[in-house]
Amino acid sequence: WEERQKTRQLEMEAVSKALAVLSGDDAHDLFTRTFNPALLQRESSVRSQHREQASRVLSAAAAKVHSPRLATLAYQVKLDAFTRVKKAIDDM
């Protein structure tokens, strides 16, 4: 019990030190100097918006004609992005 309590205390001290380093002015300055907004991925968000719009159109059509198949397709379109992420994680 005492050993676990001591270990926990050491972990808490280490986390506090790490937070102090990461939230310090030096870390902020370094991040500001090295951050390059040109490296942000923008195309993915456009694709995501298109996927969401397609899903909404399919959902509306499914509701209008009472088609469970169209509703399923709308849901699959919406969740398809996660399929790629899951595959990438499985391939690791």
Side-chain angles (χ1 to χ4, degrees), residues 6-62:
K6 182 179 177 183
T7 303
R8 172 63 74 186
Q9 183 63 31
L10 291 173
E11 288 173 351
M12 288 174 42
E13 288 176 15
V15 168
S16 295
K17 288 179 184 178
L19 284 174
V21 168
L22 292 174
S23 61
D25 291 335
D26 291 338
H28 183 267
D29 293 340
L30 179 65
F31 178 75
T32 304
R33 281 193 324 263
T34 59
F35 179 70
N36 186 355
L39 297 176
L40 291 177
Q41 186 176 1
R42 295 183 184 156
E43 188 174 330
S44 178
S45 64
V46 171
R47 286 183 184 164
S48 178
Q49 290 172 353
H50 288 192
R51 182 181 309 281
E52 184 67 32
Q53 185 178 10
S55 176
R56 276 188 263 127
V57 168
L58 287 169
S59 292

Side-chain angles (χ1 to χ4, degrees), residues 55 57-63 65-76:
S55 176
V57 168
L58 287 169
S59 292
V65 297
H66 305 291
S67 172
R69 293 178 109 184
L70 270 180
T72 302
L73 180 62
Y75 216 64
Q76 287 175 342

